[in-house]
Amino acid sequence: MGFNSILFEKVDRIAHITLNRPKALNGITFEMMDEINQALMDIREDRRIKAAVITGAGRAFCVGADINVLEGGLHDPVQMRHFLESINQMFFNIEELPVPVIAGVNGLARAGGFELILACDLVIAVS
């Protein structure tokens, strides 16, 4: 699987999802949500995986929705609704994984980034 906005790997029996848009403080885009959902589907189907870790690259865990996505949605209610439905579905997919999901919070976590943490089963944060 090739991803542009996340890194996804399985080491031993643990899946690692790294939000990989450090210049944008890991702001969530439609592409990122699609990629996270693909990784979650892979985790769900792989019976060898016993836990998953979600973390962010760079100095932020996740600052929520990318401002460029929000800016477009402010003028287009259909796009905003689609974004909100998509992000809620992503959170639901995390909550429904059959393995524990750990948020490895390594920096800023704002707005939807904090909601992402809340969708996980366990949080480990560093300052």
Side-chain angles (χ1 to χ4, degrees):
M1 266 180 259
F3 296 116
N4 295 315
S5 59
I6 69 167
L7 302 173
F8 178 60
E9 65 179 343
K10 298 178 209 176
V11 179
D12 297 323
R13 294 162 48 139
I14 300 179
H16 298 267
I17 297 173
T18 303
L19 310 180
N20 193 31
R21 298 185 66 235
K23 291 180 182 175
L25 301 177
N26 299 315
I28 299 170
T29 62
F30 283 107
E31 178 182 46
M32 181 182 277
M33 286 187 285
D34 289 343
E35 291 178 3
I36 290 170
N37 282 325
Q38 288 177 38
L40 295 172
M41 186 182 319
D42 184 289
I43 293 166
R44 177 179 297 283
E45 293 172 356
D46 189 341
R47 298 290 180 213
R48 295 171 298 159
I49 298 298
K50 299 302 178 193
V53 177
I54 300 175
T55 193
R59 67 184 186 99
F61 174 73
C62 177
V63 294
D66 185 288
I67 192 70
N68 295 319
V69 173
L70 284 180
E71 212 169 63
L74 294 174
H75 304 292
D76 182 355
V78 173
Q79 181 182 351
M80 181 58 82
R81 180 180 178 135
H82 178 58
F83 183 82
L84 293 174
E85 288 172 348
S86 297
I87 202 165
N88 283 330
Q89 183 63 51
M90 181 186 73
F91 295 149
F92 178 78
N93 291 342
I94 292 168
E95 292 169 357
E96 292 299 310
L97 272 184
V99 299
V101 181
I102 301 163
V105 182
N106 56 316
L108 294 171
R110 304 279 193 265
F114 187 73
E115 290 180 78
L116 178 57
I117 292 169
L118 295 176
C120 297
D121 300 301
L122 180 68
V123 180
I124 298 175
V126 297
S127 58

